[in-house]
Amino acid sequence: MVCYREVLEFIKIYPPLLWRIANVGSKQKMNLVKENLRLYLPAIVEFLGKHDFPWTKVNSDFNKKIEKRLKEASGETSTVEASIYDIIISCKKGLKDYEGLLVFFNRLFEELIINTDDNTRAVIKTTVWNLLISFDSKYLNYIGELAVLNNLLKSKTVELIKCEVSLDNNKSIDFDVLFPENGMRVLIEVVNIHLDSQKTEDDPKKIQGFLKKRLTDKRKSKTQDSKYADKVHLIPVLWGSHKDLRIYERFFKSHKLDLPLTYEPMAYLTYSDSNGYFETYFNPITKLFKE
Protein backbone atom coordinates (compact mmCIF):
# COMPACT_ATOMS: atom_id res chain seq x y z
CA MET A 1 0.00 0.00 0.00
CA VAL A 2 1.29 3.46 -0.90
CA CYS A 3 1.01 5.93 1.96
CA TYR A 4 2.03 9.47 2.84
CA ARG A 5 4.66 10.38 5.45
CA GLU A 6 3.69 13.69 7.04
CA VAL A 7 6.13 16.48 7.78
CA LEU A 8 6.69 16.32 11.54
CA GLU A 9 7.92 19.62 12.93
CA PHE A 10 8.31 18.60 16.58
CA ILE A 11 10.11 15.68 18.12
CA LYS A 12 10.47 14.25 21.63
CA ILE A 13 14.05 13.55 22.58
CA TYR A 14 15.99 12.31 25.58
CA PRO A 15 18.97 14.67 25.43
CA PRO A 16 21.73 12.40 26.82
CA LEU A 17 20.61 9.67 24.39
CA LEU A 18 20.67 12.16 21.53
CA TRP A 19 24.17 13.16 22.50
CA ARG A 20 25.41 9.56 22.59
CA ILE A 21 23.80 8.74 19.24
CA ALA A 22 25.36 11.80 17.66
CA ASN A 23 28.79 10.63 18.86
CA VAL A 24 28.53 6.92 17.96
CA GLY A 25 31.74 5.81 16.30
CA SER A 26 33.35 9.21 16.70
CA LYS A 27 37.08 9.67 16.71
CA GLN A 28 39.18 12.53 17.89
CA LYS A 29 39.03 15.47 15.46
CA MET A 30 36.22 13.84 13.45
CA ASN A 31 33.64 16.33 12.24
CA LEU A 32 30.49 14.61 13.48
CA VAL A 33 28.08 16.79 11.54
CA LYS A 34 29.85 16.16 8.24
CA GLU A 35 30.21 12.43 8.90
CA ASN A 36 26.55 11.99 9.84
CA LEU A 37 25.50 13.95 6.76
CA ARG A 38 27.83 11.81 4.66
CA LEU A 39 26.06 8.69 5.94
CA TYR A 40 22.45 9.88 5.76
CA LEU A 41 22.46 12.78 3.27
CA PRO A 42 25.56 12.13 1.17
CA ALA A 43 24.39 14.36 -1.68
CA ILE A 44 24.74 17.47 0.51
CA VAL A 45 28.39 16.67 1.23
CA GLU A 46 29.00 15.90 -2.45
CA PHE A 47 27.29 19.15 -3.45
CA LEU A 48 29.62 21.14 -1.18
CA GLY A 49 32.67 18.97 -1.83
CA LYS A 50 34.57 21.25 -4.20
CA HIS A 51 34.08 24.38 -2.12
CA ASP A 52 35.79 25.68 0.98
CA PHE A 53 32.89 25.10 3.36
CA PRO A 54 33.20 25.92 7.11
CA TRP A 55 32.40 22.44 8.42
CA THR A 56 34.28 23.10 11.67
CA LYS A 57 32.02 26.08 12.42
CA VAL A 58 28.88 24.05 11.67
CA ASN A 59 30.08 21.27 13.95
CA SER A 60 30.90 23.76 16.73
CA ASP A 61 27.45 25.37 16.48
CA PHE A 62 25.82 21.94 16.60
CA ASN A 63 27.72 21.00 19.75
CA LYS A 64 26.75 24.29 21.41
CA LYS A 65 23.10 23.65 20.58
CA ILE A 66 23.26 20.14 22.06
CA GLU A 67 24.90 21.46 25.23
CA LYS A 68 22.16 24.07 25.54
CA ARG A 69 19.46 21.42 25.18
CA LEU A 70 21.13 19.23 27.77
CA LYS A 71 21.29 22.14 30.21
CA GLU A 72 17.68 23.18 29.64
CA ALA A 73 16.29 19.63 29.84
CA SER A 74 18.31 18.58 32.92
CA GLY A 75 18.17 14.93 31.87
CA GLU A 76 14.41 14.86 31.29
CA THR A 77 12.54 14.11 28.07
CA SER A 78 11.78 17.32 26.22
CA THR A 79 9.95 18.42 23.08
CA VAL A 80 11.77 20.60 20.57
CA GLU A 81 11.27 21.81 17.03
CA ALA A 82 12.95 19.25 14.81
CA SER A 83 16.02 20.35 12.88
CA ILE A 84 17.59 18.47 10.01
CA TYR A 85 19.92 16.87 12.56
CA ASP A 86 17.01 15.65 14.68
CA ILE A 87 15.56 14.01 11.58
CA ILE A 88 18.85 12.15 11.06
CA ILE A 89 19.04 11.16 14.74
CA SER A 90 15.43 9.93 14.63
CA CYS A 91 16.26 7.69 11.67
CA LYS A 92 19.32 6.39 13.51
CA LYS A 93 16.98 5.48 16.36
CA GLY A 94 14.80 3.51 13.96
CA LEU A 95 11.86 5.93 13.72
CA LYS A 96 10.63 5.09 10.21
CA ASP A 97 8.29 8.09 9.83
CA TYR A 98 11.28 10.34 9.18
CA GLU A 99 12.87 8.32 6.38
CA GLY A 100 10.77 9.94 3.67
CA LEU A 101 12.07 13.38 4.55
CA LEU A 102 15.69 12.26 4.30
CA VAL A 103 15.00 10.63 0.94
CA PHE A 104 13.44 13.89 -0.29
CA PHE A 105 16.35 16.01 1.00
CA ASN A 106 18.97 13.74 -0.53
CA ARG A 107 17.21 13.53 -3.90
CA LEU A 108 16.89 17.32 -3.92
CA PHE A 109 20.66 17.70 -3.63
CA GLU A 110 21.26 14.91 -6.15
CA GLU A 111 19.20 16.94 -8.63
CA LEU A 112 20.96 20.18 -7.68
CA ILE A 113 24.29 18.50 -8.49
CA ILE A 114 22.93 17.63 -11.93
CA ASN A 115 21.30 21.01 -12.52
CA THR A 116 24.19 23.27 -11.42
CA ASP A 117 27.78 23.92 -12.38
CA ASP A 118 30.57 24.93 -9.99
CA ASN A 119 29.83 28.64 -10.34
CA THR A 120 26.14 28.18 -9.54
CA ARG A 121 26.91 25.94 -6.57
CA ALA A 122 29.18 28.63 -5.17
CA VAL A 123 26.28 31.09 -5.39
CA ILE A 124 23.94 28.65 -3.59
CA LYS A 125 26.45 27.90 -0.83
CA THR A 126 25.10 30.63 1.46
CA THR A 127 21.61 29.12 1.39
CA VAL A 128 23.03 25.68 2.23
CA TRP A 129 25.02 27.27 5.08
CA ASN A 130 21.81 28.79 6.47
CA LEU A 131 20.16 25.37 6.21
CA LEU A 132 22.91 23.63 8.16
CA ILE A 133 23.02 26.19 11.00
CA SER A 134 19.24 26.16 11.51
CA PHE A 135 18.55 24.17 14.66
CA ASP A 136 14.75 24.31 14.54
CA SER A 137 12.01 23.70 11.98
CA LYS A 138 12.95 26.88 10.11
CA TYR A 139 15.44 24.72 8.22
CA LEU A 140 12.45 23.75 6.07
CA ASN A 141 12.34 27.33 4.78
CA TYR A 142 15.78 26.87 3.23
CA ILE A 143 14.76 23.47 1.86
CA GLY A 144 11.77 25.24 0.29
CA GLU A 145 14.01 27.86 -1.30
CA LEU A 146 16.38 25.24 -2.70
CA ALA A 147 13.53 23.06 -3.97
CA VAL A 148 11.96 26.01 -5.81
CA LEU A 149 15.34 26.96 -7.27
CA ASN A 150 15.97 23.37 -8.36
CA ASN A 151 12.64 23.24 -10.18
CA LEU A 152 13.51 26.48 -11.98
CA LEU A 153 16.98 25.29 -12.95
CA LYS A 154 15.87 21.90 -14.21
CA SER A 155 13.30 23.60 -16.43
CA LYS A 156 16.34 24.86 -18.40
CA THR A 157 14.59 28.22 -18.90
CA VAL A 158 16.44 30.28 -16.26
CA GLU A 159 19.96 30.94 -15.03
CA LEU A 160 20.76 31.86 -11.42
CA ILE A 161 22.60 35.16 -11.11
CA LYS A 162 22.67 35.69 -7.35
CA CYS A 163 21.16 34.60 -4.02
CA GLU A 164 20.06 37.02 -1.29
CA VAL A 165 19.80 40.10 -3.48
CA SER A 166 19.75 43.43 -1.63
CA LEU A 167 17.15 45.93 -2.83
CA ASP A 168 17.42 49.71 -2.56
CA ASN A 169 15.25 49.58 0.60
CA ASN A 170 17.81 47.32 2.34
CA LYS A 171 15.52 44.28 2.10
CA SER A 172 16.79 41.03 0.60
CA ILE A 173 15.15 38.84 -2.03
CA ASP A 174 15.97 35.14 -2.35
CA PHE A 175 17.00 34.86 -6.01
CA ASP A 176 17.95 36.98 -9.00
CA VAL A 177 17.42 34.92 -12.16
CA LEU A 178 17.82 35.50 -15.88
CA PHE A 179 15.66 34.15 -18.71
CA PRO A 180 18.32 33.80 -21.47
CA GLU A 181 15.72 33.43 -24.23
CA ASN A 182 14.53 37.03 -23.87
CA GLY A 183 17.11 38.55 -21.51
CA MET A 184 14.52 39.26 -18.80
CA ARG A 185 15.75 39.54 -15.19
CA VAL A 186 13.37 38.52 -12.39
CA LEU A 187 13.67 38.66 -8.61
CA ILE A 188 12.09 35.66 -6.86
CA GLU A 189 11.01 35.52 -3.22
CA VAL A 190 10.03 32.11 -1.84
CA VAL A 191 7.30 32.37 0.80
CA ASN A 192 7.24 29.32 3.08
CA ILE A 193 3.85 28.82 4.75
CA HIS A 194 3.62 26.26 7.55
CA LEU A 195 0.02 25.11 7.84
CA ASP A 196 -1.47 24.48 11.29
CA SER A 197 -3.78 21.45 11.07
CA GLN A 198 -5.81 22.71 14.02
CA LYS A 199 -6.59 25.92 12.15
CA THR A 200 -6.88 24.65 8.58
CA GLU A 201 -10.51 24.64 7.44
CA ASP A 202 -11.98 23.50 4.14
CA ASP A 203 -13.52 26.92 3.59
CA PRO A 204 -12.59 28.77 0.35
CA LYS A 205 -13.28 32.21 1.81
CA LYS A 206 -11.05 31.59 4.81
CA ILE A 207 -8.28 30.08 2.68
CA GLN A 208 -8.51 33.01 0.27
CA GLY A 209 -8.31 35.51 3.10
CA PHE A 210 -5.47 33.70 4.85
CA LEU A 211 -3.28 33.39 1.78
CA LYS A 212 -3.96 36.88 0.48
CA LYS A 213 -2.99 38.40 3.82
CA ARG A 214 0.18 36.32 4.17
CA LEU A 215 1.33 37.02 0.64
CA THR A 216 0.32 40.69 0.57
CA ASP A 217 2.09 41.25 3.89
CA LYS A 218 5.19 39.49 2.58
CA ARG A 219 5.26 41.57 -0.59
CA LYS A 220 4.83 44.79 1.38
CA SER A 221 7.54 43.87 3.88
CA LYS A 222 10.00 43.14 1.07
CA THR A 223 9.20 45.74 -1.59
CA GLN A 224 7.84 48.82 0.19
CA ASP A 225 9.73 51.95 -0.92
CA SER A 226 11.67 50.01 -3.55
CA LYS A 227 11.78 51.01 -7.20
CA TYR A 228 12.25 47.32 -8.05
CA ALA A 229 8.89 46.24 -6.59
CA ASP A 230 7.47 45.36 -10.00
CA LYS A 231 10.32 42.89 -10.58
CA VAL A 232 9.65 40.78 -7.47
CA HIS A 233 7.74 37.54 -8.05
CA LEU A 234 6.38 35.47 -5.13
CA ILE A 235 6.39 31.66 -5.12
CA PRO A 236 4.61 30.22 -2.04
CA VAL A 237 5.61 26.85 -0.58
CA LEU A 238 3.08 25.02 1.61
CA TRP A 239 4.25 22.70 4.40
CA GLY A 240 1.55 20.60 6.01
CA SER A 241 -0.12 17.26 6.56
CA HIS A 242 -1.71 15.11 3.88
CA LYS A 243 -5.14 16.37 4.93
CA ASP A 244 -4.09 20.04 4.88
CA LEU A 245 -2.50 19.77 1.43
CA ARG A 246 -5.59 18.01 0.04
CA ILE A 247 -7.70 20.94 1.21
CA TYR A 248 -5.43 23.41 -0.56
CA GLU A 249 -5.32 21.22 -3.66
CA ARG A 250 -9.12 21.37 -3.90
CA PHE A 251 -9.06 25.12 -3.35
CA PHE A 252 -6.58 25.83 -6.14
CA LYS A 253 -8.32 23.52 -8.57
CA SER A 254 -11.35 25.79 -8.41
CA HIS A 255 -10.02 29.19 -7.27
CA LYS A 256 -7.30 31.72 -8.04
CA LEU A 257 -5.70 34.26 -5.72
CA ASP A 258 -5.53 37.01 -8.36
CA LEU A 259 -2.46 38.56 -6.73
CA PRO A 260 0.09 40.29 -8.97
CA LEU A 261 3.29 38.39 -9.79
CA THR A 262 2.27 35.53 -7.48
CA TYR A 263 2.28 31.87 -8.50
CA GLU A 264 0.41 28.74 -7.49
CA PRO A 265 1.94 27.30 -4.30
CA MET A 266 4.44 24.44 -4.44
CA ALA A 267 4.38 21.61 -1.91
CA TYR A 268 6.27 18.47 -0.87
CA LEU A 269 4.87 14.95 -0.74
CA THR A 270 6.41 11.51 -0.26
CA TYR A 271 4.73 8.20 -1.02
CA SER A 272 6.15 4.99 0.41
CA ASP A 273 5.39 1.30 0.73
CA SER A 274 6.19 -1.37 3.32
CA ASN A 275 9.33 -2.40 1.40
CA GLY A 276 11.09 0.91 1.96
CA TYR A 277 10.37 2.31 -1.50
CA PHE A 278 9.90 6.08 -1.66
CA GLU A 279 8.59 8.44 -4.31
CA THR A 280 9.18 12.10 -3.56
CA TYR A 281 7.48 15.05 -5.20
CA PHE A 282 7.81 18.82 -5.09
CA ASN A 283 5.19 20.20 -7.44
CA PRO A 284 2.51 22.87 -7.79
CA ILE A 285 -0.24 21.96 -5.35
CA THR A 286 -2.72 21.05 -8.10
CA LYS A 287 -0.23 18.54 -9.56
CA LEU A 288 1.02 17.08 -6.30
CA PHE A 289 -1.23 14.07 -5.70
CA LYS A 290 -1.66 10.93 -7.73
CA GLU A 291 -5.19 10.50 -8.98
Side-chain angles (χ1 to χ4, degrees):
M1 166 130 7
V2 176
C3 64
Y4 170 73
R5 303 286 192 185
E6 293 187 5
V7 175
L8 303 178
E9 293 190 12
F10 291 85
I11 180 172
K12 286 188 176 181
I13 61 169
Y14 185 63
L17 177 62
L18 183 150
W19 178 256
R20 288 197 298 273
I21 291 173
N23 283 276
V24 166
S26 65
K27 300 178 181 179
Q28 189 175 10
K29 296 185 179 180
M30 177 181 286
N31 189 302
L32 293 170
V33 167
K34 186 176 182 179
E35 292 308 311
N36 275 280
L37 288 172
R38 194 191 304 278
L39 287 171
Y40 287 86
L41 293 172
I44 292 183
V45 179
E46 183 180 351
F47 180 86
L48 296 168
K50 294 183 180 181
H51 300 290
D52 182 19
F53 194 75
W55 286 110
T56 301
K57 172 63 174 171
V58 176
N59 197 74
S60 175
D61 286 355
F62 172 82
N63 287 332
K64 289 176 182 178
K65 185 65 177 180
I66 295 299
E67 292 287 1
K68 183 178 179 182
R69 284 187 183 179
L70 287 167
K71 184 176 180 179
E72 291 174 349
S74 300
E76 301 296 327
T77 301
S78 63
T79 301
V80 298
E81 286 191 50
S83 70
I84 195 169
Y85 305 111
D86 295 304
I87 302 301
I88 291 173
I89 290 166
S90 296
C91 287
K92 294 177 80 168
K93 291 164 66 176
L95 301 179
K96 300 294 185 181
D97 285 347
Y98 295 89
E99 289 183 7
L101 275 173
L102 289 188
V103 171
F104 170 58
F105 299 158
N106 201 60
R107 287 180 181 171
L108 169 60
F109 277 90
E110 287 175 344
E111 290 192 7
L112 282 169
I113 291 170
I114 295 170
N115 296 321
T116 58
D117 55 24
D118 284 348
N119 291 334
T120 305
R121 291 179 202 175
V123 174
I124 299 172
K125 186 169 68 171
T126 299
T127 304
V128 182
W129 161 260
N130 289 331
L131 164 65
L132 295 179
I133 61 168
S134 295
F135 297 104
D136 54 30
S137 64
K138 293 183 182 63
Y139 80 95
L140 285 173
N141 295 345
Y142 299 110
I143 291 289
E145 290 178 19
L146 291 168
V148 167
L149 179 61
N150 180 58
N151 276 30
L152 291 170
L153 293 175
K154 71 182 179 182
S155 73
K156 305 301 182 183
T157 61
V158 303
E159 294 178 3
L160 177 65
I161 304 300
K162 189 176 181 180
C163 294
E164 296 300 322
V165 185
S166 295
L167 299 183
D168 50 343
N169 59 0
N170 294 320
K171 300 292 185 178
S172 66
I173 301 296
D174 293 323
F175 304 118
D176 178 2
V177 302
L178 169 70
F179 289 82
E181 186 173 328
N182 56 20
M184 183 173 67
R185 293 276 291 271
V186 169
L187 300 174
I188 294 176
E189 178 70 11
V190 178
V191 186
N192 288 275
I193 299 174
H194 300 262
L195 302 175
D196 184 342
S197 293
Q198 295 182 342
K199 297 180 180 179
T200 301
E201 298 182 58
D202 198 353
D203 183 325
K205 288 185 178 180
K206 291 184 178 180
I207 293 174
Q208 185 93 241
F210 168 69
L211 289 178
K212 280 194 171 183
K213 184 177 189 316
R214 284 291 301 272
L215 295 169
T216 300
D217 288 350
K218 172 62 75 170
R219 178 174 293 282
K220 183 178 179 180
S221 71
K222 290 289 186 175
T223 65
Q224 190 172 28
D225 300 324
S226 172
K227 64 181 181 182
Y228 300 104
D230 61 350
K231 294 185 178 296
V232 176
H233 295 232
L234 301 184
I235 302 181
V237 174
L238 300 177
W239 297 98
S241 69
H242 178 277
K243 180 180 178 182
D244 296 339
L245 295 179
R246 273 294 192 186
I247 289 172
Y248 277 79
E249 176 206 32
R250 289 194 292 271
F251 172 82
F252 277 98
K253 282 188 171 181
S254 56
H255 299 82
K256 292 184 178 180
L257 290 178
D258 293 325
L259 292 174
L261 304 180
T262 302
Y263 299 87
E264 178 182 324
M266 309 287 291
Y268 148 79
L269 189 70
T270 294
Y271 289 96
S272 68
D273 63 21
S274 58
N275 297 317
Y277 172 75
F278 294 94
E279 291 183 12
T280 64
Y281 298 92
F282 186 80
N283 292 332
I285 189 70
T286 58
K287 298 178 181 178
L288 187 63
F289 292 92
K290 293 181 177 181
E291 298 299 334

